[in-house]
Amino acid sequence: MAKYLVQKSNPLSGEVEISGAKNAVLPIMAAALLSEEECTLFDVPALRDVDVLTQLLTHIGAVIKKADTNTLNIYTPKINTYEAPFELVKKMRASFLVAGPLLARTGHARVYMPGGCTIGARPVELHLKGFQAMGAEIINNEIKSFVEMSCDRLQGASIYLDFPSVGATENIMMAAVLAEGTTIIENAAEEPEIVDLANFLNKMGARVKGAGTETIKIEGVEKLGGCKHGIIPDRIETGTFMVAAAITRGEILIKNAVPDHVKAITAKLIECGVVVEKTDEGLLVKGNVNPLVSTNIKTMPYPGFPTDIQSPFMALLTTVEGSSVVIENIFENRFMHVAELNRMGANIKIDGRSAIIYGGRPLQGAQVISTDLRAGAAMVLAGLVAEGTTEIAEIYHIERGYENFVEKFRKLGATIIRIDD
């Protein structure tokens, strides 16, 4: 298994280019199944998750070609199978996003229960509730752990989500674009990735309105065509490098960032004493201007503070004087990184969905594991300021979601190498 070796580094400085968003490209790739014509995607990040979904779409019938490192051509004139097999779906939760497009285009979908990071239950009931409201028959095979869905043609419906689930909003949107009649999704997720998916669908000929608000209206059409589309920049990668500038007390120009997508992260960094400036190229983040202080954060659905930045931000809070409280409202099992940070000398106590960080203690290099994608990034950030060497195992989690991770950090002056064990 490959590992990262991270040593205490000087304050990071320089500039970094943000890649296309993982959480935007995956649903958009799945949505390409809705058309018989070719779709071309630009700014596709080179990630393990993209590779896994490429395998899954190819299995279903898509012909996928790389025009270059970050450009994909997806052409699906025929669906060969409506089944998403276990060996692929188990690797990544986003695989379940093929359910909506398959159901809309073929009237059938059989998808095994998804895998991915073990940060919480993340059930698919909201997805199924939406499909069922649109007329699909749902068969849940608990013994073989798959869900089978079928319909003649989906019908427009009014659907209220009990929680503004990103995945459920995306899957229902994709199913609804070819449904008969109008579908309204209330309490929908408002993330920028939802807007990017809606823009892609509309380029294909769909009629989606209200994406980015709590109510989305989709008027079904008979058929979708091909299109060309550029993926939005990754706001979670942006946030990771913003925190990297802060934790190392450095100064980083984050190019291709969208400031409006990271307002909550920016606000909390400013509370800590970090200087964040908008520029023509993106964001300039300075952690070297003021002494940094503690703050409290509470994860919330967008536009609130993102759960995906909770663990990197907690690593930062271990390095500032004072006590901080982090409340995790999205996933019930997203404090697995706490034990790893404590192994490095942090003092963090967990009480249910709250973590209390007693900051200011010097961190020490240690052998730690990347318990999930964003926790892995937190371990790297902690390693950059810890005395000695930090050895991070199970880095496949990190490489699922960050493009050229080591190269980008090394360009900023980080002492980090990847080794094969």
Side-chain angles (χ1 to χ4, degrees):
M1 299 292 287
K3 299 178 180 179
Y4 290 155
L5 295 181
V6 185
Q7 291 184 318
K8 185 173 183 179
S9 303
N10 292 325
L12 299 188
S13 64
E15 57 186 46
V16 64
E17 185 91 15
I18 297 303
S19 300
K22 175 185 88 77
N23 292 335
V25 72
L26 299 178
I28 286 173
M29 288 175 65
L33 293 175
L34 290 162
S35 174
E36 298 178 5
E37 299 179 16
E38 185 174 82
C39 296
T40 300
L41 306 181
F42 306 105
D43 303 316
V44 176
L47 304 173
R48 288 196 179 196
D49 275 11
V50 170
D51 293 340
V52 171
L53 190 56
T54 296
Q55 294 175 50
L56 177 55
L57 298 185
T58 301
H59 171 83
I60 290 170
V63 178
I64 302 180
K65 296 180 180 179
K66 273 193 173 185
D68 56 50
T69 304
N70 300 111
T71 303
L72 285 183
N73 294 319
I74 305 176
Y75 174 52
T76 317
K78 181 181 178 182
I79 300 293
N80 295 331
T81 177
Y82 60 81
E83 179 175 287
F86 174 73
E87 59 267 21
L88 291 175
V89 176
K90 70 178 181 180
K91 297 179 181 179
M92 183 180 65
R93 178 172 180 79
S95 301
F96 200 79
L97 291 173
V98 301
L102 284 175
L103 192 58
R105 185 164 167 187
T106 72
H108 293 87
R110 180 189 294 155
V111 185
Y112 283 80
M113 289 298 97
C117 291
T118 55
I119 56 176
R122 302 196 287 183
V124 297
E125 279 82 358
L126 292 178
H127 304 236
L128 302 181
K129 175 184 174 182
F131 297 152
Q132 199 164 28
M134 297 167 71
E137 180 183 357
I138 309 293
I139 299 174
N140 195 340
N141 190 319
E142 296 183 3
I143 296 175
K144 294 186 177 180
S145 296
F146 68 74
V147 177
E148 188 156 357
M149 297 149 272
S150 63
C151 64
D152 291 328
R153 184 184 179 187
L154 293 172
Q155 302 295 311
S158 293
I159 300 164
Y160 180 87
L161 297 179
D162 296 331
F163 178 84
S165 162
V166 174
T169 301
E170 292 168 339
N171 234 341
I172 295 168
M173 277 174 58
M174 290 187 285
V177 293
L178 292 180
E180 184 176 1
T182 299
T183 299
I184 296 175
I185 308 172
E186 295 185 87
N187 198 30
E190 301 177 25
E191 276 75 357
E193 294 81 11
I194 300 290
V195 178
D196 205 28
L197 173 60
N199 289 339
F200 174 72
L201 292 170
N202 286 340
K203 286 180 182 179
M204 297 170 75
R207 298 173 181 171
V208 181
K209 296 180 180 179
T213 73
E214 64 179 15
T215 302
I216 300 175
K217 181 179 179 181
I218 306 109
E219 294 180 27
V221 298
E222 291 290 332
K223 190 175 182 180
L224 295 178
C227 72
K228 297 181 179 181
H229 183 77
I231 306 299
I232 61 171
D234 196 313
R235 63 191 173 94
I236 305 303
E237 185 188 20
T238 299
T240 301
F241 281 104
M242 293 174 76
V243 177
I247 197 171
T248 64
R249 311 311 193 254
E251 183 173 325
I252 302 176
L253 174 61
I254 304 174
K255 301 174 72 174
N256 201 35
V258 181
D260 283 351
H261 292 176
V262 290
K263 284 182 176 179
I265 303 169
T266 299
K268 286 299 174 181
L269 286 173
I270 290 173
E271 284 183 18
C272 288
V274 179
V275 174
V276 182
E277 300 174 355
K278 295 181 184 180
T279 75
D280 292 339
E281 297 178 288
L283 289 171
L284 180 62
V285 184
K286 302 176 183 178
N288 54 2
V289 177
N290 307 307
L292 301 192
V293 298
S294 60
T295 191
N296 301 324
I297 64 172
K298 180 187 298 185
T299 66
M300 298 290 288
Y302 188 87
F305 192 92
T307 182
D308 282 349
I309 294 295
Q310 179 255 104
S311 45
F313 210 98
M314 190 183 293
L316 166 64
L317 293 175
T318 67
T319 70
V320 301
E321 294 291 340
S323 299
S324 304
V325 177
V326 173
I327 300 174
E328 175 57 55
N329 287 311
I330 308 299
F331 295 121
E332 73 277 6
N333 198 25
R334 202 157 204 177
F335 283 151
M336 292 186 294
H337 55 280
V338 169
E340 306 305 306
L341 287 172
N342 283 345
R343 189 173 286 120
M344 298 177 69
N347 184 6
I348 306 171
K349 309 294 183 187
I350 299 176
D351 181 11
R353 286 183 175 262
S354 299
I356 304 166
I357 302 99
Y358 302 96
R361 293 165 59 104
L363 299 180
Q364 302 292 325
Q367 290 184 328
V368 296
I369 62 173
S370 171
T371 55
D372 63 71
L373 167 54
R374 308 306 174 181
M379 293 302 105
V380 171
L381 297 183
L384 293 175
V385 295
E387 294 293 337
T389 301
T390 300
E391 182 180 303
I392 305 169
E394 300 187 20
I395 61 171
Y396 64 89
H397 283 302
I398 301 172
E399 293 173 350
R400 283 184 46 231
Y402 290 96
E403 182 181 45
N404 299 328
F405 187 78
V406 170
E407 293 83 354
K408 288 184 178 182
F409 271 97
R410 286 175 65 87
K411 185 181 177 183
L412 295 170
T415 305
I416 174 174
I417 61 171
R418 186 186 193 276
I419 61 169
D420 289 314
D421 191 4

